[in-house]
Every structure is written in structure tokens, then in C-alpha cells.
Amino acid sequence: MKISVIFTGGTIGSTVEEKYISLDADSYRLLHMYRENYDTSGLQFETGSPFSILSENLSLEHALQLARIVKNQAEKTYDAIILTHGTDTIQYTASLLEWMCTDVKIPVFLVSSNLVLDDPDSNGLINFHGAVVAAGENIAPGVYVSYQNVGGELCIHRASMLLPHRIFDENLYSVRDKIYAVVKNERLIPMIHDFHELRVLDGLEMTCERRIPKIAMLTIYPDMGDVFANTVLSEETDAVILTCYHSGTLPTEQESFLRFCETAKRKNIPVYLCGIYQEHGYSSTKKFEELSLIRMPWISPIALYTKLVSLCVSDFGKS
């Protein structure tokens, strides 16, 4: 099996120096350690490294560069592509790749590590192994993230189902805990393949003249205030994504929030709601339609964000 391995940095490509995690000069340490710990007979790795950064410094330009590379590599004779990535922003890159690489006919995996590879509690090697096993088990073409939570199973997540990280939590979770597959005893065990939630994204439209859109992603909190609305909703804002309270609610009785929504409506800025999951909400949700708020049930805010970006840069590789 021939696999293209693309290194981009992150903790999986770092070491600890003077109490700080820094990028490792030997970006290929992962493969050295993998060969020492796993049977690699029948495997051929071909490597590349377009850039090396800590993923908190990732820009969408970096992610689009990776999409170009994936599309180019997929035209060659590889059976799979594995990208190493930092944990902080892996969901963003993975989800954007899913939207940008729908025509790629081989599986693409992103792998990361909770700790540097030299740490005995690191999950970097097992995450990489999960991708290798899944590729060898003829997983369907698509974009996936291989990741083992602390004390959990080695999971293969569908990229666009991943949720943002919980604060202080290194683990990865998918919407409604819908995991594509798990890896057990060197085998890929299918779990859930019905991801109908994502269909709500099919009808979205957005045009930004081939540029990365300016999208405000906001988490609702009490008393957002007038200055918050005035600062965020500039003339250059293309869209707003609001993450609701846990019950799918918003402060629709608060004057500052109402002015925020009215400003967006006046400026023709679409406001999308994530965190909606109940068919029958609270009385406070009755105003959603009046305020022109767009419900996106059961959608991760990251998937929505990257989908909107992909609509604006869909022809990024044509010139």
C-alpha cells in the first residue's frame, strides 16, 4: 500500500524544549518511531512538508494550500493520503478539505497528537496507525480524522461532523457522538454511515468574488451589549454564525440582542444559528423567523463556517 504522508507541524511534529513545546527539526520523527513500533511490511510512505507551524497559527490560506496538495496527490498512484496536523485547528482544516475535495477518489486522513511523541502518554502514534489501518481496510473515499480520546476507542471521525474542542479538553467529539468507524484488533469496524444532518448544508449559497469571506463566529453570553453588535457587524461582514445556549435558545427579549439582529437584517448579513436541535423550542425561540435568523439544526459551527468559506473559494484551483 502506497501512502502520501504530508507533514505540517503541530504537537505531533514537536518536542519539549525548556518547558515549551516547539517544532521539531526532525519532522519525520513520526515515521521513524512508527517503523520501530509497528509492522510496516507492505507499506510505502512518500513524504512531503509544504510548511511547518503550530496549528494555532493556521490560516485559511494554509488550509487551502493543503487542499491544492491533496487534489494534486490524489491524481497520482497513492492508496491514501495522511496529513499530520496540530490539535487546535484540526477540525477546521479537516472540514474545509471535505468540502473542497469532494472529487478526490481516495481516503484522506488527518492525524494529530495530544502530547509530543516522546511522551509515553502521547496518542500520536496510535492515531497515525488508525489511519493506516483504515486505509488498508478500503475505507470509502472521503476526509476523516483518526483520533483516540483518553481512555477511549480509536475512532475514525467524518471530518465535517467534528465539534469544536471543549475548553481544557484534548479529546475530539462528533455531533451526536456519530462516529464513522472504530479501529479494533487491526480491523476497521463500521459504526454510523448515515449523516443526514449535513444535508441542511446542501442548499447554502454564498458569493464573495473568489476571496475568503469575513465571517463572525460568536458564542452567545448574557448582555452582549451594543458595542459588541456595532463592532462585529461592519460593512465588510459577509455572515454571522451564532452558537446558541445548550437548549437552542437566544436572548430574544434583550434589547441589545434585538438591535444586533436588526442591524444584520438591515445590512443583508445572514445570521446562522448553530446548536438548534429541538423541533419544539421555548417561547423565546418564536422570534427567530421574525428576526430572519437561519436555523442550522444539528450542524457543527465549524462545518458551517468551512462550508461557507468553500462556497466563496470553490474555484481556488482553476487559475
Side-chain angles (χ1 to χ4, degrees):
M1 183 168 60
K2 187 177 178 182
I3 300 176
S4 172
V5 182
I6 301 169
F7 297 97
T8 71
T11 302
I12 198 168
S14 299
T15 55
V16 176
E17 296 179 2
E18 299 179 356
K19 298 182 180 181
Y20 289 95
I21 296 176
S22 303
L23 293 170
D24 190 356
D26 180 12
S27 59
Y28 301 97
R29 178 193 297 264
L30 172 65
L31 289 185
H32 300 325
M33 296 179 68
Y34 187 74
R35 290 188 175 101
E36 292 174 355
N37 288 271
Y38 293 93
D39 179 12
T40 58
S41 58
L43 292 175
Q44 180 182 351
F45 298 119
E46 293 190 0
T47 61
S49 181
F51 54 81
S52 185
I53 61 172
L54 293 174
S55 73
E56 59 266 34
N57 295 319
L58 179 94
S59 70
L60 288 177
E61 291 288 354
H62 287 112
L64 288 172
Q65 182 181 354
L66 290 177
R68 294 186 185 96
I69 292 171
V70 166
K71 291 170 78 72
N72 179 265
Q73 294 294 84
E75 294 177 354
K76 301 178 182 179
T77 58
Y78 296 112
D79 298 294
I81 298 172
I82 300 178
L83 297 92
T84 67
H85 200 286
T87 54
D88 282 345
T89 54
I90 190 170
Q91 304 100 314
Y92 291 88
T93 297
S95 184
L96 185 60
L97 288 181
E98 177 167 343
W99 306 132
M100 301 301 297
C101 300
T102 55
D103 56 342
V104 169
K105 305 302 182 184
I106 59 175
V108 178
F109 302 91
L110 284 83
V111 298
S112 59
S113 183
N114 60 337
L115 301 167
V116 296
L117 294 176
D118 290 332
D119 192 305
D121 293 324
S122 168
N123 63 6
L125 280 181
I126 189 66
N127 293 340
F128 186 85
H129 185 58
V132 173
V133 171
E137 291 275 287
N138 296 315
I139 192 171
V143 180
Y144 307 95
V145 173
S146 171
Y147 197 87
Q148 183 180 55
N149 288 347
V150 176
E153 295 181 305
L154 177 53
C155 295
I156 305 297
H157 297 267
R158 179 166 174 180
S160 53
M161 292 293 286
L162 285 168
L163 290 164
H165 279 292
R166 298 174 182 175
I167 191 169
F168 309 124
D169 191 344
E170 66 197 31
N171 296 325
L172 287 181
Y173 302 96
S174 284
V175 174
R176 305 176 77 176
D177 290 325
K178 280 194 169 185
I179 307 301
Y180 187 90
V182 297
V183 174
K184 292 182 179 179
N185 301 320
E186 305 300 307
R187 298 299 304 272
L188 184 70
I189 311 299
M191 299 293 287
I192 299 173
H193 290 173
D194 175 17
F195 299 102
H196 64 271
E197 296 89 348
L198 297 175
R199 294 172 194 158
V200 72
L201 297 173
D202 291 342
L204 287 182
E205 296 181 359
M206 195 172 206
T207 303
C208 301
E209 299 180 354
R210 298 188 64 196
R211 64 171 172 80
I212 294 174
K214 300 181 186 302
I215 301 172
M217 296 183 67
L218 312 173
T219 300
I220 293 296
Y221 59 86
D223 290 324
M224 292 168 63
D226 295 339
V227 65
F228 192 54
N230 294 335
T231 300
V232 171
L233 298 180
S234 70
E235 296 298 333
E236 296 181 347
T237 305
D238 294 303
V240 174
I241 297 173
L242 296 180
T243 300
C244 303
Y245 289 122
H246 83 94
S247 56
T249 58
L250 294 167
T252 54
E253 299 300 322
Q254 293 185 7
E255 192 63 32
S256 61
F257 179 72
L258 294 176
R259 284 198 297 269
F260 172 85
C261 296
E262 290 165 359
T263 300
K265 188 174 182 179
R266 186 177 68 254
K267 294 183 177 182
N268 295 315
I269 300 171
V271 179
Y272 299 96
L273 306 184
C274 286
I276 304 295
Y277 64 93
Q278 298 184 80
E279 182 178 353
H280 304 291
Y282 290 83
S283 58
S284 59
T285 65
K286 292 180 180 179
K287 289 188 177 180
F288 285 179
E289 291 186 10
E290 177 185 333
L291 296 171
S292 299
L293 305 179
I294 306 168
R295 304 173 188 236
M296 306 298 292
W298 294 111
I299 291 296
S300 167
I302 292 177
L304 175 58
Y305 173 72
T306 56
K307 180 66 174 182
L308 293 175
V309 170
S310 72
L311 292 172
C312 290
V313 297
S314 58
D315 56 353
F316 75 105
K318 296 181 180 179
S319 63

